[in-house]
Amino acid sequence: MKDPKVKIFYERGTKELQEESTRAQKILKAFNDCDPEDEREKRRLIQNLFGSVGEDVGIDHNFHCDLGYNIHVGNNFYAGYNCTILDMAEVRIGNDCMIAPNVGIYTAGHNIEPKDRNKTGYGIPITIGNNVWIGGHSVILPGVSIGDNSIVAAGSIVTKDVPANMIVAGNPAKVLKSIIEE
């Protein structure tokens, strides 16, 4: 079985990566310029951009991503204004998930050593379970998994995995309480 947290290394400026990025940027421009009431065209564009898309998906304008095809969302997915998903590695988001405005989901990172930092990078997959709610201005960092039914409070920076049925908050995000009473 493939380790879901394996780093994927990439080199900036390669022809292939530039072409993939340009493809995504063209689709994103069309999506972000689309009439907000044209649900059919918005869905068509997201289906062309993402790796997989469930039913009843809503994404507000000013959405950004790196490549698009590494993003997989389930049914009843919603992302608010100014959502950014840096998908140099896979981002898998389950069913019935809500992402508030100004959320960043970042699979990408760079070497801490200064030599060639700007020329190479890595991506570590992110997994977000079912029925997850991510509050506004939160950031999800590379390699994080968020369990089913969990809530990330507004303004949180999630640096470590979040178990199922938990509310996390803060910088770095820490478990506040369980949603399920024992």
Side-chain angles (χ1 to χ4, degrees), residues 73-136:
V73 299
N75 298 326
N76 305 312
F77 170 75
Y78 170 76
Y81 303 107
N82 305 317
C83 180
T84 298
I85 301 177
L86 300 185
D87 66 313
M88 294 309 292
E90 275 195 351
V91 175
R92 293 206 167 263
I93 301 173
N95 297 323
D96 304 307
C97 290
M98 297 184 299
I99 297 176
N102 301 304
V103 167
I105 299 173
Y106 306 142
T107 68
H110 295 277
N111 191 338
I112 60 171
E113 298 296 324
K115 185 177 181 347
D116 295 329
R117 181 185 296 152
N118 64 339
K119 294 180 183 174
T120 61
Y122 64 84
I124 308 173
I126 292 173
T127 303
I128 299 171
N130 297 315
N131 299 305
V132 172
W133 175 18
I134 300 174

Side-chain angles (χ1 to χ4, degrees), residues 141-156:
L141 292 180
V144 166
S145 291
I146 300 175
D148 292 347
N149 308 312
S150 290
I151 297 171
V152 175
S156 297

